Amino acid sequence: GGSSREAEIALGERDLKLAEETGACIDIQHISSKEAVELVRQAKKRCSNIHAEATPHHFTLTEDAVIKYGTLAKMNPPLREEEDRQAVIRGLVDGTIDMIATDHAPHTAAEKSRGLAASAMGVVGLECAFPLLYKYMVLPGIVTLEKLVALMAVNPRRIFGLGGGLHVGDQADFTVLDLDARYRVDPATFLSMGRATPFAGWEVQGRAAMTVVGGREVFRDETMKTNR
């Protein structure tokens, strides 16, 4: 299940046209098709208030993942073809896509075990997004670390006026990253109540070691001391 390619394109065309005609600021979420990437690319040339976002699974997986992972690869919009995946990556690289969001969906095991037709859509994403992207996007040289940080943190903060940051006078909101940590994704270690992910067992690199929100430490990963 999930939105069809035709529906995604039609809705994108409608919303982009409305944004251009009214001057409204718009964020096209969860871009998954090559056509949607191109629609946004052309619209951004005409209008400065258009933004777009994509998820880690749409530029690391294709529809073939459904055969391998079953309901763990069921999401909305659905995974698409390899040429779509490559188009989304190009959109990230050239600035057509401004942001990366996880589309975190912490469904229970029961909700994801009802077969492809009846299972809930969505996968968890918070705890494996950065290590996946650092391993498979930054280390191969597809994007720089600075670009990834912009896509995941700086741009969303600017576009949505979230405030906070690292500048003098900002409310301290930041994450300390251990870039040398190498490990396999293990859903059993997730702090999220959801465990459904197609990335279980994938080799990744990079770990959130500490998170500060509003000037207060809210998370510290003790495993950084052992790197295991």
Side-chain angles (χ1 to χ4, degrees):
S3 62
S4 69
R5 180 184 297 271
E6 294 75 16
E8 182 179 68
I9 296 168
L11 290 172
E13 287 180 322
R14 180 201 66 183
D15 293 348
L16 290 169
K17 183 177 181 180
L18 286 171
E20 290 185 55
E21 291 181 352
T22 64
C25 187
I26 187 172
D27 172 34
I28 304 298
Q29 294 182 306
H30 309 347
I31 283 185
S32 66
S33 69
K34 60 183 181 182
E35 293 89 349
V37 174
E38 188 58 27
L39 279 172
V40 171
R41 180 178 286 118
Q42 297 307 317
K44 291 182 78 167
K45 293 178 181 178
R46 302 185 297 268
C47 192
S48 62
N49 57 343
I50 290 171
H51 309 289
E53 164 257 284
T55 72
H57 36 274
H58 284 117
F59 47 85
T60 54
L61 298 171
T62 68
E63 59 189 1
D64 292 340
V66 178
I67 299 173
K68 185 173 183 179
Y69 302 113
T71 60
L72 295 179
K74 181 185 179 183
M75 66 270 303
N76 189 20
L79 297 171
R80 304 203 188 275
E81 300 174 16
E82 175 62 16
E83 60 182 340
D84 295 299
R85 187 180 78 87
Q86 292 296 334
V88 174
I89 291 174
R90 287 194 296 272
L92 288 169
V93 172
D94 70 15
T96 298
I97 297 171
D98 307 271
M99 297 171 283
I100 293 172
T102 65
D103 194 19
H104 183 75
H107 296 301
T108 65
E111 290 173 322
K112 294 293 284 183
S113 61
R114 298 168 183 162
L116 277 175
S119 290
M121 293 185 184
V123 298
V124 298
L126 287 176
E127 290 164 275
C128 53
F130 179 82
L132 275 168
L133 301 180
Y134 187 69
K135 170 75 173 180
Y136 297 102
M137 297 287 285
V138 174
L139 293 182
I142 298 172
V143 298
T144 64
L145 176 59
E146 291 75 17
K147 174 81 169 181
L148 179 59
V149 171
L151 287 162
M152 298 188 75
V154 178
N155 293 351
R157 179 179 289 147
R158 170 179 53 81
I159 291 168
F160 293 109
L162 299 178
L166 292 173
H167 298 295
V168 175
D170 287 342
Q171 189 174 49
D173 291 328
F174 62 88
T175 296
V176 177
L177 299 167
D178 176 6
L179 298 181
D180 293 325
R182 297 173 177 85
Y183 56 101
R184 291 182 181 272
V185 174
D186 181 3
T189 66
F190 288 174
L191 297 181
S192 168
M193 295 181 69
R195 299 288 187 269
T197 175
F199 299 112
W202 280 44
E203 292 185 0
V204 294
Q205 185 169 334
R207 176 184 278 127
M210 182 175 70
T211 302
V212 173
V213 178
R216 183 172 63 91
E217 182 183 311
V218 296
F219 171 75
R220 181 185 291 267
D221 186 357
E222 296 302 323
T223 62
M224 65 179 289
K225 297 177 181 178
T226 61
N227 202 30
R228 286 186 286 177

